[in-house]
Amino acid sequence: MAAVVLAAARLLAAEPAAAAAPTATFDGHIRPFLVQRCHVCHNGVVRNADLDLQRFATPETILTEPETWEKVVQRLKTRVMPPPELPQPSAEEVHAVTGWIEGLFDEAERRAPADPGRVTARRLNRTEYNNTLRDLLAVDLMPADDFPQDDTGYGFDNIGDVLSVSPILLEKYVGAAEKVARAAVFGRAAPKPSMTKYQPPLAKIEPCSDVKTDYDTTGLSLPNAIHVVHRFPVEAEYQFRVVMTGSRPLGSAPVEIGLFIDDRQVEVLPLDLEGGATFDRFRQDLSGRTREFRARVPAGDHQVALSVLRLYEGLPPSYEGPNPTRRPPPPPPAFEPPPGLPEDRLAAFRKRYEMRLLELAPVNEARVRHVEIVGPFEPRTGPSPASLAKVFVCGHKPGKHKPACGPKIVESLARRAYRRPVTAADTDPLLALVTQARRQGEPFEEAITLALQAVLVSPDFLFRIERGGEATDGGPGRPLTPHELASRLSYFLWSTMPDDELLGLADRGRLGEPEVLQAQVARMLADPRASALVESFGGQWLQFRALESVAPDRERFPLFEDGLRLAMRRETEMFLDSVVREDRSILDLLDARYTFLNERLAAHYGIEGVKGPQFRRVDLADGRRGGVLTHGSVLTVSSYATRTSPVLRGKWILENLLNAPPPDPPAGIPRLDESTVGASGSLRQQLEAHRTNATCAACHVKMDPLGFALENYDAVGAWRDKDGKWEIDPSGKLPDGQTFAGAHDLKSVLRADQAAFAEAVTGKLLTYALGRGLERSDRRTVRDIAARIAPSDYRFGALVLEIVRSLPFQRRRGEAQKT
Amino acid sequence: MNPITRKHLSRRAVLRGLSASIALPALDAMRPAFASTPAPASPTRLAFAYVPNGVTLADWTPKGTGTGFQLGRILKPLEPFRDDLLVLSGLAQKNGNALGDGPGDHARAGAAYLTGVHPRKTAGADIHNGISVDQIVARHFADETRFESIELGCEESRTVGNCDSGYSCAYTNSISWRTATTPMPPEMNPRMAFERLFGADDLNLTPEERARRARRRRSVLDVVAVRAKELTGSVGPEDRRKVDEYLTAIRDVERQIQRAEKDGREVVPNIEKPSGVPATFAEYVKLMYELQVVAFQADLTRVSTMMVGREGSLQAYPEIGVPDSHHPLTHHRAQPELVEKVTLINTFHVELFAHLLERLKATPDGDGTLLDHTVVLYGSGLSDGDRHTHEDLPLLLAGRGAGIRPGRHVVYPAETPMTNLFVTLLDRMGIPAETIGDSTGRIGQLTEA
């Protein structure tokens, strides 16, 4: 296994952290153990599992194969080996042997020469590609949306080794280069209007005739609205065709429908239902009624919401709602018995009619069913001044560019696109393209566009290749060139190319100066582009990116809808953003006393006093919420569609917050069966039964209690005291003996082991920063960084700075150096 | 719904014709355009449809063998195509097994399915699988069609985090592999798949402008290919692997541009350009199948792969009364109500597959129908999803391409490598391949009882 599990968090160690028996020696203890317990099946002749342990006759030979021995240790610790049918060693024996092996590697690690590790040329991933074009050419086309998904490794989609170039991707690069280059120089071709229909699953509304006075009058927090995120291809006019459903009491004033874009009310249109077609003469019927909005929207992702405004206003006075309608009450529907109704049934029919006249209709049903977004219309045409300025650096008027400027333009484009100084070897072939096109009679602008197309398909643009500089200063590997450092910084913190300030500092050779570097990191974290860190790093580390594709069971979670889904994501993004911007301690991620809520999410959490659709910072008092573990986003993505899974959540905590992923379950052992809850006992009882199996217990004794602590939160993160008929018991005990009464306690336990959590976060952020999986040689770096930021109370800015200053970030293994 | 190819008619004329009638006979009117294509007889097409997480084998395997078989519950929706089916029992992908690598059966099942190779266990550093059979065929026919192959999928959701027990998501994201290190990512968006096949982006341009742009693209590719070659000489071995991959892709695209120019046909699809991913899963899958039919019919490609879901898929199917995520359901430990739900999902997938067969069979091609000249392999890389078994895989062939004689259920000796099927199929298609993955020889009974 290439991935190296960093030192498991101490609190989860299966035994007290006492060191292995110091007296154990290889010849006296370890080798006899191996001979007696292992060699019989794993020798030069019988190589079960393709493993020959006999070869390892000295500690030195053991050190040559750390991966093999990591597996051996894992198999011993989990008591998978020796197999149950053979005589079993005592716990002390196993402890002594595994402790000795681990000690051997720890010691070797301390003595090993520092190694910056191997970083493979990184292809821009989809996010980076879009962002880079935005900054390189001021083009907001986002062509990478049409590229195939990037594969992920080590939990992230920016890993050089994993980002491959398939023929289809290259085909898309070629097409995108043409599209983007033409858009920058000539303006983008107006796309034909197209229609996208959004018909999200709706939350269930229980019909009710009681009016409310204290509610969100924008309607955005009510299930009557719909919320979608739409990607607008270009700045233009768009049409929003909304289709309604539900009913209103007869005689109500027209409903008002509001269009909101990014939480801003853009337009309100009334819809008068009186006298309209209806299946039910006693109600106003909204089914199928439509309204069309039109609005100009900038390119990019925007949140679109359509709602019924002031839902409980404009009702007939008999409903006693606020601001009732002044419409004269309509005549009651006439009594119209079906013709030929027998006399004896007529009385009953009349009685029902009279009852209906007195009955109050539901007042909360009017809602938006779906929306169609059509466009673009009247898109901005012609090249944008910003794009022209990025390309035509000589600054002439469009159409009047001087051919003499060709070399200057090409040089500037290549330098910025390749993110480094360029030489004639870089620019000559591009200039040859310009000349060739000119010779074929193409206008100057077309010729420049061709060179730009080549720049955008060039490997120097698509990949971040670090190949400059061979000189070594005696340290391990070689220091990065200033431009390589600039790119590492900008793609780490911004997911885009270095800006002029970074490139300028690199040009002058000053970026590596400690004060300059520190100031730049601070500047970059304060820049709006740092939101990429929240979305790309945060979204993958905490996995809230997966929210967009979860599909909680509609029967069990009837109130889950897209407004809630978006709100959950927003909460976690804003929370992470606050940690970044306010330079807070990363420990706050575990148990902050605040979060960000709007009315919809607050209602979901059962938190009172948050009114209206706007997100705002909310102080948390009751201990039920606080920290990412209690965010709806995290709780939902770590559940199945129909139910929670303590195992899944426990594993989630071990992997993402403690960087101590549980070892893989032994092959052939059936998955734990969590699905029969309620049949023969609570989920907890059943899981505990499972743990009587020693092999399972070895890992589940760590995973399950963590997950059980979160059982008060259901599969979409709402609070609950019971699961079906079973009372929830969130208490637990960790292998080291610490106990907790529930989620709140668990967070304190986790927070108490600050170093473990800090190392886990460091490991994740370092993986993301380097774009490679961490290796054994990185353990030291991770520990050092975590230790260094302790005095600053683990502030996020300090963590980023220490990563940026670390050996693997600053240097690279020499090209000739062997792995 | 037929694509129409032409050399002589103006596109406008064709479009006018289409708006008036999209019935099948329209195709015959266009016969001269087809006749100008080089292939003398109808070529054989090869399609692979993949479903994840295994099936309920008891409900899958037909009763009886030979021609007297009875379809079980899952395959019942294929009853109308019984005579076009060759259900294969007993084949195995043993390289999907752990073989000392521990858990990760889903990643291995997906990765080994068309390669027969044991994928290297890595979260990313050194991904290594094998070339997949569809890509062997694609290379063989590379010069005959505009696209060597198409890869489609119906699981639009992004994968987040790690995919399966220490395996990079690359292994579960693609069943098609160009080389041991380059997966072919499936296109999940029907609109994009459509635009790739029919160049819908370019439809506004004059033929002259399109030709000019193709020329310019070629000169761009020339320049960057030279640059990539320079780089391969000056970067370290790991980076060189990346640059080589890039260079290979450049050559593929160059060839594709050349083929499109040589082909010269303008293909006007007779289906509307999809606006995106349809709202329901059923419509989504059917549309993706439809695009394959259209591509085959116009002979734009000979090979397709389609992932109805990724291995380990968590897709829920509330529309058929299964709101649960697929993968955890398959770990049912034989509890009847959970097994039932798995069977429902399996059956639903087969119902959608029936749509592909229906469309292939309804589409005239040469002296018969498209189904007569196509071989479709439908199946999963796991048999029992609960126990993660890689033997007795649920597999069936449909169609009569490559001289297959369907209408039977054939049972092979246990653990016959599935790759033997691939080698035999390639024999039938005239493609020399001594071995593929772990193949040990040929299998009989594909063309004779």
Side-chain angles (χ1 to χ4, degrees):
Chain A
M1 204 168 61
V4 172
V5 175
L6 293 170
R10 276 165 288 283
L11 72 104
L12 292 160
E15 299 88 15
T23 51
T25 61
F26 183 72
D27 290 323
H29 303 83
I30 311 307
R31 196 170 151 75
F33 179 94
L34 296 175
V35 170
Q36 185 195 349
R37 308 280 182 188
C38 312
H39 287 182
V40 59
C41 300
H42 302 287
N43 59 54
V45 182
V46 185
R47 295 162 54 92
N48 278 1
D50 201 21
L51 180 64
D52 168 14
L53 290 178
Q54 217 170 18
R55 303 179 280 138
F56 302 96
T58 60
E60 289 69 38
T61 49
I62 288 180
L63 281 170
T64 58
E65 286 192 29
E67 278 79 17
T68 304
W69 287 92
E70 211 156 71
K71 273 191 206 165
V72 170
V73 165
Q74 190 206 81
R75 300 289 195 279
L76 287 171
K77 276 189 169 173
T78 54
R79 310 304 297 248
V80 175
M81 285 286 151
E85 57 272 23
L86 293 182
Q88 294 294 307
S90 70
E92 291 71 33
E93 271 180 275
V94 171
H95 183 52
V97 170
T98 54
W100 184 87
I101 298 171
E102 285 174 333
L104 180 72
F105 281 105
D106 282 352
E107 181 55 31
E109 199 182 298
R110 271 192 292 279
R111 287 195 317 256
D115 176 6
R118 178 180 64 76
V119 168
T120 304
R122 266 158 297 170
R123 163 169 83 63
L124 302 183
N125 68 17
R126 299 202 303 181
T127 309
E128 292 166 345
Y129 184 94
N130 278 343
N131 291 349
T132 303
L133 284 181
R134 176 197 67 201
D135 296 340
L136 180 70
L137 296 169
V139 165
D140 54 11
L141 282 174
M142 297 172 287
D145 292 2
D146 295 342
F147 295 175
Q149 278 191 27
D150 297 312
D151 285 324
T152 61
Y154 308 101
F156 297 103
D157 64 0
N158 66 346
I159 305 296
D161 279 317
V162 179
L163 292 165
S164 54
V165 180
S166 58
I168 187 159
L169 179 61
L170 203 100
E171 203 180 309
K172 304 236 175 194
Y173 281 148
V174 172
E178 181 182 283
K179 216 165 161 179
V180 168
R182 300 198 76 80
V185 176
F186 302 107
R188 62 168 297 175
K192 279 195 223 140
S194 65
M195 189 265 274
T196 312
K197 178 173 173 178
Y198 291 97
Q199 189 157 8
L202 299 179
K204 199 168 175 180
I205 296 179
E206 288 297 339
C208 175
S209 311
D210 298 331
V211 294
K212 290 194 177 139
T213 48
D214 180 20
Y215 69 102
D216 178 10
T217 53
T218 67
L220 290 175
S221 310
L222 305 178
N224 310 56
I226 69 172
H227 303 257
V228 304
V229 174
H230 183 71
R231 182 154 277 200
F232 294 84
V234 57
E235 184 188 330
E237 290 261 318
Y238 291 86
Q239 193 183 68
F240 303 80
R241 211 167 146 262
V242 58
V243 178
M244 310 294 292
T245 188
S247 73
R248 294 263 282 178
L250 218 51
S252 299
V255 286
E256 290 179 307
I257 307 161
L259 167 68
F260 294 78
I261 295 178
D262 297 330
D263 297 337
R264 207 170 49 81
Q265 184 173 310
V266 177
E267 199 181 357
V268 177
L269 292 176
L271 174 59
D272 194 350
L273 302 155
E274 198 62 12
T278 173
F279 282 116
D280 182 344
R281 296 182 298 125
F282 295 83
R283 312 260 166 96
Q284 291 180 348
D285 189 352
L286 282 85
S287 313
R289 301 294 297 271
T290 69
R291 266 282 174 264
E292 278 177 18
F293 298 81
R294 230 177 142 91
R296 195 159 188 93
V297 190
D301 279 335
H302 296 285
Q303 198 170 325
V304 175
L306 286 135
S307 69
V308 177
L309 303 178
R310 294 175 282 281
L311 182 66
Y312 297 103
E313 297 183 27
L315 299 169
S318 54
Y319 287 80
E320 297 174 5
N323 198 9
T325 180
R326 288 200 207 113
R327 227 172 211 179
F335 179 64
E336 288 171 2
L341 193 72
E343 202 60 29
D344 54 329
R345 299 212 19 225
L346 194 64
F349 205 83
R350 175 175 293 281
K351 193 164 172 210
R352 216 166 69 223
Y353 164 77
E354 279 161 2
M355 274 177 63
R356 286 219 71 183
L357 282 181
L358 295 173
E359 172 186 284
L360 289 178
V363 293
N364 62 342
E365 275 193 336
R367 71 189 309 178
V368 181
R369 177 65 202 102
H370 73 248
V371 60
E372 293 160 5
I373 303 180
V374 190
F377 301 104
E378 301 166 39
R380 199 188 61 203
T381 52
S384 77
S387 294
L388 289 177
K390 299 260 186 203
V391 177
F392 295 103
V393 287
C394 283
H396 311 123
K397 288 211 167 68
K400 305 227 161 104
H401 300 297
K402 299 212 175 85
C405 267
K408 202 173 162 194
I409 291 170
V410 167
E411 198 268 345
S412 142
L413 282 174
R415 187 182 72 91
R416 294 176 58 244
Y418 302 168
R419 304 159 285 247
R420 59 171 170 79
V422 289
T423 64
D426 291 305
T427 51
D428 283 353
L430 300 170
L431 286 167
L433 279 177
V434 175
T435 313
Q436 177 201 323
R438 293 289 279 159
R439 210 177 294 134
Q440 288 166 352
E442 304 252 28
F444 181 66
E445 284 81 356
E446 285 282 1
I448 290 295
T449 309
L450 185 61
L452 179 51
Q453 276 177 245
V455 165
L456 298 181
V457 184
S458 167
D460 298 279
F461 169 71
L462 294 172
F463 290 90
R464 292 156 54 202
I465 304 176
E466 296 170 341
R467 55 191 284 277
E470 295 298 324
T472 177
D473 51 6
R478 67 159 175 90
L480 297 182
T481 67
H483 292 90
E484 290 167 352
L485 183 60
S487 273
R488 280 205 183 181
L489 278 171
S490 68
Y491 283 95
F492 170 30
L493 299 178
W494 290 346
S495 301
T496 188
M497 61 183 280
D499 64 357
D500 288 344
E501 185 167 341
L502 283 170
L503 284 177
L505 286 166
D507 287 344
R508 295 194 295 280
R510 297 199 48 208
L511 190 54
E513 293 171 18
E515 321 76 61
V516 174
L517 193 61
Q518 182 164 3
Q520 285 302 312
V521 167
R523 175 180 76 92
M524 293 178 76
L525 286 175
D527 188 281
R529 281 169 286 194
S531 63
L533 197 56
V534 168
E535 201 287 326
S536 290
F537 171 71
Q540 295 184 85
W541 169 44
L542 299 177
Q543 296 177 5
F544 63 79
R545 259 193 193 177
L547 260 185
E548 65 189 54
S549 47
V550 298
D553 180 18
R554 318 257 343 126
E555 293 294 314
R556 288 179 178 79
F557 307 103
L559 297 180
F560 188 89
E561 38 75 50
D562 286 347
L564 183 60
R565 186 198 304 269
L566 293 171
M568 285 178 173
R569 185 188 166 106
R570 187 86 163 267
E571 175 193 19
T572 307
E573 282 183 347
M574 290 180 81
F575 177 66
L576 291 185
D577 201 59
S578 74
V579 172
V580 175
R581 308 276 171 195
E582 298 165 26
D583 194 14
R584 304 183 75 93
S585 169
I586 55 173
L587 299 175
D588 286 356
L589 295 170
L590 284 175
D591 65 348
R593 297 279 174 85
Y594 69 94
T595 191
F596 295 85
L597 300 173
N598 65 0
E599 182 173 334
R600 177 73 191 89
L601 190 56
H604 183 63
Y605 287 173
I607 291 174
E608 309 217 321
V610 179
K611 294 293 171 197
Q614 316 79 24
F615 270 81
R616 87 264 352 228
R617 191 185 175 113
V618 176
D619 288 320
L620 301 165
D622 69 353
R624 279 190 178 183
R625 302 277 170 181
V628 294
L629 269 179
T630 56
H631 281 202
S633 59
V634 165
L635 292 161
T636 304
V637 299
S638 61
S639 297
Y640 290 129
T642 50
R643 60 188 170 87
T644 61
S645 162
V647 177
L648 216 55
R649 283 182 177 167
K651 191 162 169 265
W652 190 95
I653 294 175
L654 286 174
E655 283 178 350
N656 300 306
L657 300 187
L658 297 170
N659 212 6
D664 298 330
I669 298 270
R671 293 281 170 115
L672 197 59
D673 176 27
E674 299 177 80
S675 49
T676 51
V677 63
S680 57
S682 71
L683 180 54
R684 188 180 181 104
Q685 287 160 0
Q686 290 177 4
L687 272 179
E688 277 167 2
H690 186 87
R691 295 213 300 270
T692 55
N693 175 329
T695 309
C696 304
C699 302
H700 284 275
V701 75
K702 297 175 193 171
M703 266 188 289
D704 303 358
L706 297 172
F708 275 119
L710 299 175
E711 271 295 275
N712 279 127
Y713 307 92
D714 72 12
V716 293
W719 182 269
R720 61 181 181 178
D721 292 310
K722 283 187 168 192
D723 183 14
K725 58 184 167 172
W726 309 100
E727 199 74 36
I728 287 187
D729 172 8
S731 68
K733 183 176 167 191
L734 291 168
D736 68 349
Q738 293 195 74
T739 58
F740 52 84
H744 187 61
D745 266 11
L746 174 67
K747 288 188 280 183
S748 312
V749 172
L750 292 175
R751 183 167 180 138
D753 197 352
Q754 302 184 343
F757 178 69
E759 284 176 20
V761 180
T762 305
K764 296 285 181 188
L765 196 56
L766 186 62
T767 302
Y768 177 81
L770 297 175
R772 66 165 170 84
L774 297 189
E775 296 167 35
R776 186 170 297 275
S777 53
D778 298 312
R779 288 184 185 183
R780 190 159 55 179
T781 304
V782 170
R783 279 191 207 137
D784 284 354
I785 292 174
R788 264 176 229 245
I789 61 174
S792 81
D793 192 27
Y794 299 101
R795 295 206 174 274
F796 186 77
L799 170 59
V800 168
L801 187 62
E802 288 304 327
I803 284 181
V804 165
R805 284 172 172 165
S806 72
L807 175 85
F809 195 90
Q810 289 280 336
R811 306 181 73 91
R812 87 178 253 118
R813 198 185 273 172
E815 266 72 40
Q817 203 172 326
K818 284 270 179 287
T819 49
Chain B
M1 294 207 209
N2 310 284
I4 295 168
T5 58
R6 56 121 211 174
K7 262 187 170 155
H8 317 294
L9 295 178
S10 84
R11 196 173 67 82
R12 277 185 196 288
V14 173
L15 285 174
R16 265 200 308 276
L18 281 179
S19 60
S21 162
I22 53 166
L24 284 172
L27 186 74
D28 289 323
M30 307 305 291
R31 188 70 68 192
F34 272 115
S36 69
T37 58
S42 289
T44 302
R45 282 78 153 198
L46 193 54
F48 298 89
Y50 188 85
V51 288
N53 302 339
V55 302
T56 309
L57 215 53
D59 292 330
W60 164 281
T61 311
K63 290 205 172 49
T65 59
T67 53
F69 69 103
Q70 277 181 327
L71 291 173
R73 216 176 126 197
I74 293 172
L75 294 182
K76 207 72 188 166
L78 299 182
E79 192 67 57
F81 310 98
R82 192 178 179 285
D83 294 341
D84 296 302
L85 300 182
L86 186 61
V87 186
L88 309 172
S89 294
L91 300 181
Q93 263 313 0
K94 76 165 172 25
N95 274 326
N97 286 302
L99 310 181
D101 284 346
D105 285 283
H106 288 280
R108 286 189 298 262
Y113 184 67
L114 294 184
T115 65
V117 166
H118 188 62
R120 181 179 296 154
K121 186 161 197 175
T122 172
D126 46 1
I127 287 170
H128 201 274
N129 190 15
I131 178 169
S132 56
V133 60
D134 60 300
Q135 290 303 307
I136 298 175
V137 178
R139 278 193 191 165
H140 186 78
F141 292 122
D143 292 328
E144 312 224 351
T145 54
R146 203 172 289 185
F147 300 96
E148 287 191 25
S149 61
I150 55 175
E151 293 76 34
L152 303 175
C154 294
E155 197 157 2
E156 201 207 5
S157 59
R158 283 199 278 191
T159 48
V160 181
N162 283 311
C163 281
D164 188 7
S165 312
Y167 284 90
S168 162
C169 295
Y171 291 123
T172 36
N173 283 346
S174 300
I175 52 169
S176 174
W177 288 68
R178 184 75 174 161
T179 67
T181 53
T182 312
M184 300 286 274
E187 179 59 74
M188 306 285 186
N189 185 326
R191 178 177 63 84
M192 299 311 308
F194 181 96
E195 288 184 351
R196 176 167 188 243
L197 287 172
F198 303 110
D201 260 0
D202 302 342
L203 283 182
N204 297 329
L205 306 176
T206 62
E208 296 72 38
E209 176 63 12
R210 239 177 302 154
R212 189 182 75 100
R213 291 200 180 177
R215 218 168 41 235
R216 285 164 64 100
R217 286 181 180 198
R218 274 221 314 267
S219 56
V220 161
L221 290 174
D222 289 345
V223 167
V224 297
V226 170
R227 173 62 185 151
K229 264 178 260 168
E230 277 167 29
L231 275 176
T232 51
S234 66
V235 296
E238 302 301 331
D239 289 1
R240 188 173 314 133
R241 196 164 62 75
K242 291 285 156 193
V243 179
D244 280 343
E245 190 177 77
Y246 167 89
L247 200 52
T248 310
I250 289 274
R251 300 218 168 96
D252 279 336
V253 175
E254 274 175 343
R255 274 200 300 273
Q256 189 184 308
I257 294 178
Q258 281 162 12
R259 286 196 302 268
E261 286 181 343
K262 195 177 98 194
D263 182 340
R265 292 177 303 159
E266 187 175 343
V267 181
V268 180
N270 197 342
I271 58 172
E272 240 178 78
K273 177 166 149 179
S275 62
V277 175
T280 71
F281 187 71
E283 285 173 50
Y284 186 8
V285 175
K286 285 181 181 178
L287 180 54
M288 287 308 219
Y289 280 140
E290 186 73 45
L291 286 167
Q292 292 170 71
V293 174
V294 174
F296 283 165
Q297 190 190 7
D299 202 24
L300 291 172
T301 188
R302 303 272 165 84
V303 184
S304 73
T305 51
M306 158 95 159
M307 297 173 70
V308 174
R310 292 188 194 99
E311 198 43 64
S313 167
L314 292 171
Q315 174 96 25
Y317 296 87
E319 64 272 41
I320 54 162
V322 184
D324 319 65
S325 307
H326 188 180
H327 178 202
L329 258 190
T330 57
H331 292 288
H332 47 58
R333 307 225 292 174
Q335 292 172 66
E337 68 274 31
L338 301 182
V339 176
E340 172 62 19
K341 286 180 172 176
V342 173
T343 300
L344 284 174
I345 295 174
N346 301 152
T347 312
F348 183 48
H349 286 159
V350 169
E351 272 169 34
L352 300 174
F353 178 64
H355 176 80
L356 173 68
L357 300 189
E358 187 187 316
R359 293 287 306 114
L360 288 171
K361 199 162 183 164
T363 306
D365 183 66
D367 55 1
T369 72
L370 207 44
L371 190 57
D372 294 333
H373 304 125
T374 302
V375 186
V376 194
L377 175 68
Y378 179 93
S380 180
L382 287 173
S383 42
D384 179 348
D386 186 21
R387 291 182 302 123
H388 290 157
T389 43
H390 303 265
E391 316 81 53
D392 199 10
L393 296 175
L395 298 172
L396 65 84
L397 293 177
R400 291 162 191 275
I404 302 288
R405 256 203 47 225
R408 291 172 300 138
H409 172 214
V410 179
V411 180
Y412 292 99
E415 304 194 18
T416 304
M418 179 177 169
T419 44
N420 289 4
L421 165 69
F422 298 157
V423 177
T424 315
L425 276 178
L426 264 52
D427 279 350
R428 302 286 320 160
M429 297 177 78
I431 302 169
E434 256 335 288
T435 60
I436 294 176
D438 64 343
S439 70
T440 56
R442 270 74 177 162
I443 56 171
Q445 307 188 69
L446 291 186
T447 55
E448 76 292 336

